[in-house]
Each structure stands twice: as C-alpha cells, then as structure tokens.
C-alpha cells in the first residue's frame, strides 16, 4: 500500500526476520502515515534524492530480535533508519538540521546510516541531533569544526 508518492507501507514494515509478524497496530499505522509524509519532506530537503529505508516500524518481536530497547521510536512507527545514496550520514544530519524540518531525533549511527524520527503525538519535536558509535552516544556538533556543542 502506497502511503505517499515515494514511500509504501511495505518498505516501512520490511524486516529480515520474515518469520516474525511485523504488522502495525492502528496507532502505529497512523504514525507510519505521518512518518512517510515527513520522509517526503526530508527527500525534498535533500534535493529530491532517493531515501532508502533500512528499517522503520518494528513489532515487539522484531524489535527484540534486533536487540533494540522497548522505548525505541521504531516500535511506535515514528522512526526510520535511512541511507541516501551519494550522501554520508554526516551530510544527511547536517542538511536536515539546516532545513528547519520538525524532526524529533537525528542520529548518525556508526557512520553507516541516519536514524530520523518524528514525535509521537501530542509530543513536540525535540530536535535532538546525536552521534552513536563505538565511542558511545554524544551530541552532534553544531559546526563543521566540531568545537561547538548543540
């Protein structure tokens, strides 16, 4: 089922754990619709580049199988891990931050993908930008030199 011009329910619920049910409940489905609309805005902010979904919605079973926390925004249908061909995760974070979009979290993860999320309503966007890698979790720097904190 197509949610928006460029994003389908199938790609937002795809999992390598095919033996596990990854069907969203009605609340998660509503969030996935909002997430798809937001991802269209991200796509536009990145110059209409293709946005590849690595992972989005995760049922409890799938979330447990990948070793994620129960508090993950993926469980609510509010988050996606993305790759943008031709852009580094660092460049994606910087471009989305500069766009003024109302994201909740942007996380450059292991310099391999970008986690991007929207708030679960009625929460407001926190506009948190982080880095997660072997060194741990920290704020994404505000400037290219890495000297300023967010």
């Amino acid at each position: 089922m197509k949610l928006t011009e460029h994003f389908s329910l199938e790609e937002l619920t795809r999992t390598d754990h095919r033996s596990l049910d990854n069907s969203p409940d009605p609340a998660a489905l509503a969030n996935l619709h909002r997430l798809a609309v937001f991802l269209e805005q991200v796509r536009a902010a990145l110059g209409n580049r293709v946005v590849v979904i690595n992972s989005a919605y995760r049922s409890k079973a799938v979330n447990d199988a990948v070793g994620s926390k129960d508090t993950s925004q993926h469980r609510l249908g509010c988050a996606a891990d993305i790759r943008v061909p031709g852009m580094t995760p660092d460049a994606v974070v910087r471009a989305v931050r500069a766009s003024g979009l109302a994201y909740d979290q942007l996380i450059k993860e292991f310099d391999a993908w970008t986690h991007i999320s929207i708030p679960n309503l009625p929460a407001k966007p926190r506009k948190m930008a982080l880095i997660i890698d072997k060194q741990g979790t920290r704020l994404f720097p505000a400037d290219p030199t890495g000297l300023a904190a967010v």
Side-chain angles (χ1 to χ4, degrees):
M1 167 169 63
K2 207 165 185 152
L3 298 176
T4 62
E5 182 180 356
H6 298 101
F7 299 100
S8 69
L9 180 61
E10 291 74 22
E11 72 183 310
L12 293 177
T13 58
R14 181 178 22 228
T15 178
D16 290 338
H17 300 278
R18 292 181 190 93
S19 63
L20 301 174
D21 181 23
N22 201 40
S23 303
D25 62 27
L29 184 57
N31 283 336
L32 286 169
H33 277 277
R34 289 189 316 109
L35 180 62
V37 169
F38 182 74
L39 289 170
E40 291 288 354
Q41 296 170 348
V42 168
R43 191 177 191 280
L46 300 177
N48 289 316
R49 291 178 180 259
V50 171
V51 172
V52 178
I53 308 297
N54 293 344
S55 175
Y57 175 74
R58 296 183 197 141
S59 66
K60 175 155 179 45
V62 170
N63 202 58
D64 289 349
V66 300
S68 189
K69 297 178 182 174
D70 249 357
T71 55
S72 170
Q73 290 176 299
H74 290 276
R75 292 272 297 111
L76 304 171
C78 289
D81 294 336
I82 64 170
R83 286 179 298 105
V84 180
M87 291 184 78
T88 65
D90 191 79
V92 171
V93 170
R94 290 186 189 287
V96 173
R97 285 176 83 185
S99 73
L101 291 175
Y103 63 89
D104 192 53
Q105 287 186 318
L106 285 171
I107 307 173
K108 179 176 104 171
E109 293 195 48
F110 302 97
D111 211 22
W113 66 87
T114 306
H115 168 97
I116 189 163
S117 67
I118 56 175
N120 188 30
L121 297 176
K124 301 283 185 222
R126 294 177 290 174
K127 289 203 163 189
M128 294 175 65
L130 304 168
I131 297 170
I132 295 177
D133 57 20
K134 289 186 275 185
Q135 297 172 32
T137 302
R138 61 194 175 280
L139 292 175
F140 193 93
D143 69 328
T145 66
L147 298 175
V150 175

